[in-house]
Structure formats: structure tokens, C-alpha cells
């Protein structure tokens, strides 16, 4: 006697398949770092840059986390952050492209390594004309293809 599958089995199987398939996002969060940064600078710049995206683009932030004991944790981005590197010229070109596309972005200039607080950071950026910013990092969020075009010439961070 062959047993008939339970009526809920196809739904369970399709749910399991959906979980196994990779999630593709229509959008991308990316950070571009200047290749001559020290390791501590790369980490610091990346952390500062991505901190600007969450509050400005709230739909990229997922739900809060909790462990099995019910201890809560802060929500994080719901999609990966891709980190790239490039020359100073690559960064300058990417900055021009991100501005022309009006995508959400954050910048980190070399001057920010000498400041110690948010007020001084903002003043350091404000003091320099756009074309003269000494960029060491750029974060961008937007449609995948637009972000890819902004990052043209950059390579994945090792």
C-alpha cells in the first residue's frame, strides 16, 4: 500500500527549496577604499562609511536579532556589504559617477584621520570643495547595475 503524501508536503518542499536558493538583491551596498590605506584605517573607514547608510536608507536594515535564550541584538543590514579597493584616481572617478547618478553615498577623506569627533569631521569635509576632496573611502547604495557602474575600475578587496 502506497501512502499518499500529506497535503502540506508540497508547500514544505517548496519552502525548503526557496531557503536553499541564493537570495539575489536588486540593490547593492558597496564600499570603495583607497588601496594605500593601513589595515586599521581600512576597518575604521569601512565602519564609518556604512554607518551612514542605515539611517539614511532604512529599508536596508533588517529585523532585530535574538538568540535561543531570548537575548536581543541590534538589527543589521539585510544584505551583504561588498568591499572594493582602488587607486586614488579610481576613487575620484567613482565619486564623480556617484554624484552624477545622485545615489545615496557617504565619504571619508584623509582629513578625518586627524579629527576626533563628529562635529570636527563634518567641518573638515565642509572646508574642502568637492573636486578637491582627498577621498580615502566612499560608500554607495542603489540599484545593482548603477552601483556596478559607479565602481568601474575597482576590484574586490582581498
Amino acid at each position: 500500500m502506497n501512502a499518499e503524501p500529506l497535503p502540506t508536503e508540497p508547500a514544505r518542499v517548496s519552502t525548503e527549496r526557496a531557503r536553499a536558493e541564493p537570495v539575489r538583491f536588486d540593490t547593492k551596498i558597496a564600499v570603495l577604499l583607497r588601496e594605500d590605506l593601513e589595515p586599521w584605517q581600512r576597518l575604521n573607514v569601512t565602519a564609518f562609511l556604512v554607518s551612514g547608510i542605515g539611517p539614511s536608507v532604512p529599508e536596508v536594515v533588517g529585523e532585530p536579532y535574538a538568540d535561543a535564550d531570548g537575548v536581543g541584538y541590534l538589527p543589521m543590514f539585510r544584505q551583504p556589504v561588498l568591499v572594493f579597493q582602488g587607486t586614488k584616481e579610481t576613487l575620484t572617478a567613482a565619486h564623480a559617477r556617484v554624484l552624477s547618478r545622485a545615489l545615496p553615498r557617504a565619504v571619508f577623506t584623509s582629513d578625518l584621520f586627524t579629527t576626533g569627533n563628529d562635529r570636527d569631521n563634518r567641518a573638515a569635509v565642509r572646508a574642502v570643495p568637492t573636486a578637491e576632496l582627498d577621498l580615502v573611502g566612499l560608500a554607495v547604495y542603489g540599484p545593482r547595475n548603477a552601483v556596478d557602474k559607479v565602481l568601474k575600475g575597482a576590484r574586490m578587496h582581498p
Side-chain angles (χ1 to χ4, degrees):
M1 176 177 187
N2 290 339
E4 293 283 324
L6 296 174
T8 58
E9 190 170 271
R12 181 182 58 78
V13 171
S14 65
T15 301
E16 287 172 4
R17 279 191 199 125
R19 285 187 195 140
E21 293 178 18
V23 175
R24 299 285 297 169
F25 294 97
D26 294 334
T27 58
K28 185 180 272 189
I29 301 170
V31 173
L32 174 57
L33 301 172
R34 202 165 75 191
E35 64 187 4
D36 61 349
L37 296 178
E38 295 294 325
W40 73 265
Q41 291 173 319
R42 291 170 187 250
L43 295 171
N44 183 268
V45 170
T46 300
F48 266 91
L49 287 171
V50 297
S51 74
I53 295 195
S56 301
V57 189
E59 64 269 20
V60 301
V61 179
E63 296 296 318
Y65 286 72
D67 63 26
D69 294 324
V71 176
Y73 303 95
L74 295 172
M76 297 184 281
F77 290 134
R78 60 181 184 84
Q79 66 189 84
V81 176
L82 302 172
V83 182
F84 296 82
Q85 68 177 13
T87 64
K88 182 176 183 170
E89 295 76 21
T90 302
L91 202 54
T92 300
H95 184 243
R97 288 191 290 266
V98 78
L99 294 177
S100 72
R101 288 174 171 74
L103 295 173
R105 70 239 169 221
V107 296
F108 198 104
T109 67
S110 63
D111 296 327
L112 302 186
F113 290 126
T114 64
T115 59
N117 61 72
D118 184 53
R119 183 190 69 237
D120 291 343
N121 286 350
R122 285 182 282 111
V125 173
R126 183 173 295 282
V128 180
T130 304
E132 296 175 25
L133 291 171
D134 185 16
L135 297 168
V136 298
L138 172 72
V140 60
Y141 169 77
R144 290 175 53 90
N145 63 342
V147 173
D148 289 342
K149 288 177 183 175
V150 165
L151 298 173
K152 183 180 177 184
R155 60 191 183 283
M156 289 295 291
H157 190 280

